[in-house]
Amino acid sequence: MRIIISGGGTGGHIFPAISIANALKAKDPEAEILFVGAEGRMEMTRVPEAGYNIKGLPVRGLIRPLWSPKNIWVMIDFFRSKRMVKNIIKEFRPQVAVGVGGYASAPTLNAAADMGIPCLIQEQNSYAGVTNKSLAKRAKKICVAYDGMERFFPAERIIKTGNPVRQILMANTMTRTEARKSLGLREDLPTILVIGGSLGARTINNAIADGIKRFDERQVQVIWQTGKYYAEECERKAREAGAVLVHPQAFISDMATAYKAADIVISRAGASSISELCLLGKASILVPSPNVAEDHQTKNARALSDKGAALFIPDSMAEKTLVEESIALVSDAATVTKLEVEVSKLALPDSADIIADEVMKLIKNN
């Protein structure tokens, strides 16, 4: 098998892409997989770290407002990227192209479709992204994580698979006590994991920084992923506040252990984070980012909170209420247990394997 996988920009696109690649390799160790990403974006480092080759394109997103003259250069880069992909395809000769969303998937899958390569797209969110909506007419299969996606895509091509998550998260067998000990945390204290996405979240970081003394007073420990852009500022605020139980770090490399150690999670509502919370059965407070297309993170969060599977706090209220809400929740064992039960009901396991099977069907049928 020879497969191209394209997309990226954030961990929410990259981690599912790598999970799909891993599932394909598990089914056929001889499979050749080539990633196509956007130059300068995080996939250009994360994909090689996972053991796969990647080609970079000079593609970038449209600039708002859409009538900006700068978009002329964006479109020039798009067509330049599409020509580059056609050359990649001629050399690599893929049997199928998989798009996971993000800048690079648009020229890649458009070029593949032009050249008769069957395409599969994977939409992680409850509100479809611009790139995937534009590709839907040319895709043979559309893998989704939520019901009701017929309003964006042709119903006859939709398959509900859920979102692939990092396999390592599911493989961790530590107990909560062992995980806390591994991370150098107190084993007897209620513990909150704060994750604002791979790039960080200013509002969540501001709320946690302002609440450092409150967490210490209430004897609640916090594993705090700040994101690289905010790491220096957050670490300085923690030092100035004399933090004892709040532990900021730019990036958590062992997220599986961090999840195991936590009683509850504070998170943005990106599709990958939502899927991880469901599959791991974690109680959470979701603070959707307001800086995303079509406010899709709010829709993702509501898909859980409306079913009693998570608590929801708007970004505009987070700095005022997040700390007290999180302390109240982590101190309420009954509510935590209820959230864990309800969120587990929404899990869709084996997503990467199901998508890999669909990829293999496309190859066979072609």
Side-chain angles (χ1 to χ4, degrees):
M1 295 193 299
R2 294 183 305 280
I3 302 126
I4 277 180
I5 300 178
S6 184
T10 67
H13 292 311
I14 297 165
F15 295 138
I18 292 172
S19 292
I20 294 168
N22 291 343
L24 286 163
K25 291 290 279 187
K27 294 175 184 296
D28 181 359
E30 300 301 315
E32 296 181 31
I33 299 172
L34 177 66
F35 281 75
V36 178
E39 292 174 352
R41 306 291 288 186
M42 64 188 294
E43 60 264 28
M44 300 306 294
T45 56
R46 292 294 171 82
V47 168
E49 288 172 358
Y52 296 100
N53 294 326
I54 187 168
K55 300 280 189 180
L57 304 176
V59 67
R60 50 204 170 106
L62 290 168
I63 296 166
R64 308 282 178 175
L66 294 179
W67 57 84
S68 168
K70 295 180 181 178
N71 280 324
I72 294 172
W73 295 104
V74 173
M75 295 309 299
I76 289 172
D77 284 341
F78 172 85
F79 288 111
R80 181 180 162 212
S81 296
K82 189 174 175 181
R83 285 196 301 272
M84 291 172 65
V85 173
K86 288 187 175 182
N87 289 330
I88 292 170
I89 288 172
K90 288 175 183 177
E91 180 180 347
F92 184 66
R93 297 180 298 116
Q95 296 157 295
V96 67
V98 177
V100 296
Y103 302 148
S105 62
T108 302
L109 268 71
N110 269 296
D114 285 351
M115 299 174 75
I117 308 297
C119 298
L120 176 148
I121 60 176
Q122 196 254 329
E123 173 56 56
Q124 294 104 20
N125 292 294
S126 59
Y127 195 97
V130 173
T131 298
N132 278 345
K133 283 191 285 187
S134 71
L135 293 170
K137 292 180 181 179
R138 313 195 75 183
K140 299 287 187 183
K141 282 287 183 180
I142 303 164
C143 298
V144 303
Y146 293 91
D147 293 322
M149 299 304 285
E150 309 82 32
R151 65 192 193 276
F152 305 112
F153 304 128
E156 68 277 7
R157 280 179 258 164
I158 293 175
I159 176 170
K160 187 177 178 183
T161 62
N163 286 323
V165 302
R166 293 168 278 185
Q167 284 94 337
I168 194 171
L169 297 181
M170 308 303 296
N172 189 299
T173 59
M174 283 185 175
T175 65
R176 183 166 291 170
T177 297
E178 290 169 342
R180 290 179 183 174
K181 186 176 181 180
S182 172
L183 296 173
L185 300 172
R186 289 268 301 272
E187 298 169 27
D188 59 327
L189 294 183
T191 304
I192 300 173
L193 171 62
V194 180
I195 45 176
S198 54
L199 302 178
R202 176 167 290 281
T203 306
I204 293 176
N205 283 339
N206 287 345
I208 301 302
D210 290 344
I212 287 171
K213 291 185 182 298
R214 186 71 175 133
F215 287 120
D216 282 348
E217 289 169 359
R218 292 295 300 272
Q219 289 288 282
V220 173
Q221 60 191 350
V222 181
I223 312 164
W224 179 17
Q225 179 177 278
T226 64
K228 64 179 182 179
Y229 295 132
Y230 307 107
E232 187 176 339
E233 176 187 0
C234 293
E235 288 168 2
R236 176 182 55 78
K237 288 182 177 179
R239 286 194 304 270
E240 291 174 351
V244 175
L245 298 176
V246 178
H247 307 283
Q249 51 194 295
F251 183 76
I252 299 172
S253 56
D254 187 358
M255 188 59 75
T257 300
Y259 272 127
K260 282 282 186 178
D263 295 294
I264 70 168
V265 180
I266 295 171
S267 178
R268 285 301 199 194
S272 287
S273 296
I274 294 276
S275 296
E276 290 172 0
L277 293 168
C278 292
L279 285 164
L280 296 172
K282 302 302 294 188
S284 67
I285 299 176
L286 300 174
V287 186
S289 170
N291 305 311
V292 294
E294 308 293 347
D295 196 25
H296 69 255
Q297 284 203 9
T298 294
K299 298 176 178 68
N300 291 348
R302 288 294 191 192
L304 268 64
S305 65
D306 289 350
K307 294 180 174 68
L311 301 187
F312 167 79
I313 295 179
D315 187 81
S316 60
M317 296 295 294
E319 292 190 32
K320 297 178 182 177
T321 65
L322 180 58
V323 170
E324 289 303 322
E325 289 275 357
S326 63
I327 291 173
L329 176 60
V330 81
S331 305
D332 184 348
T335 300
V336 169
T337 299
K338 181 180 177 182
L339 291 172
E340 289 172 344
V341 169
E342 294 304 317
V343 78
S344 296
K345 293 177 183 177
L346 303 179
L348 291 170
D350 305 320
S351 297
D353 283 334
I354 296 169
I355 294 170
D357 286 338
E358 292 300 319
V359 170
M360 295 174 78
K361 287 178 189 176
L362 286 179
I363 292 174
K364 183 179 179 180
N365 295 338
N366 201 43

